[in-house]
């Protein structure tokens, strides 16, 4: 169990970018344009980012030294993707997935 917790940070980019990959593949299989940012298939990428944020928050909570930014990542995901104030399209999803990936690496390297 300790080994799973130690490698939990690597799940964050896999889930975040995995959701984006599922969205792109679903659009291509359906014959739709990937440039259609309002297509409902982009919801898989959005939910991948949200789930990855909760995984990051849990990983940060398990550390001895707490990282406040990583602990608040689920709140950021809910505010960005579920409140409607921001566009939840593919550009925001890629930027958010890259950001929480950097946070996951930072959490593993600095807060060990």
């Amino acid at each position: 169990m300790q080994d799973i917790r130690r490698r939990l940070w690597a799940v964050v980019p896999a889930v975040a970018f995995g959701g984006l990959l599922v969205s792109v593949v679903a659009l291509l299989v359906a014959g739709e344009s990937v440039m259609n940012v309002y297509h409902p298939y982009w919801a898989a990428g959005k939910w991948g980012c949200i789930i990855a944020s909760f995984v990051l928050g849990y990983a940060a909570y398990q550390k001895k030294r707490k990282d406040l930014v990583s602990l608040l990542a689920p709140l950021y995901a809910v505010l960005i993707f579920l409140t409607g104030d921001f566009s939840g399209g593919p550009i925001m999803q890629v930027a958010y997935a890259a950001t929480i990936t950097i946070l996951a690496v930072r959490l593993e390297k600095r807060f060990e």
Side-chain angles (χ1 to χ4, degrees):
M1 190 67 163
Q2 187 67 15
D3 190 47
I4 293 172
R5 287 184 186 156
R6 204 179 78 207
R7 299 184 193 276
L8 196 58
W9 70 272
V11 174
V12 173
V15 171
F17 286 109
L20 288 165
L21 184 64
V22 166
S23 294
V24 170
V25 168
L27 285 168
L28 293 176
V29 167
E32 299 287 333
S33 172
V34 179
M35 296 300 167
N36 184 2
V37 297
Y38 299 109
H39 200 282
Y41 286 167
W42 284 113
K46 175 174 73 172
W47 284 104
C49 288
I50 293 170
I51 292 168
S53 293
F54 278 92
V55 171
L56 178 63
Y58 177 75
Y61 183 74
Q62 295 299 318
K63 298 285 186 180
K64 279 185 176 181
R65 293 179 52 212
K66 306 295 185 208
D67 178 22
L68 186 61
V69 177
S70 295
L71 283 170
L72 292 175
L75 177 66
Y76 300 149
V78 168
L79 289 175
I80 290 171
F81 291 113
L82 297 181
T83 61
D85 288 344
F86 299 98
S87 167
I91 293 173
M92 178 64 83
Q93 292 173 17
V94 169
Y96 190 81
T99 301
I100 61 173
T101 299
I102 292 168
L103 282 176
V105 171
R106 175 179 171 258
L107 179 69
E108 180 61 23
K109 299 301 178 194
R110 280 200 179 165
F111 292 89
E112 186 56 30

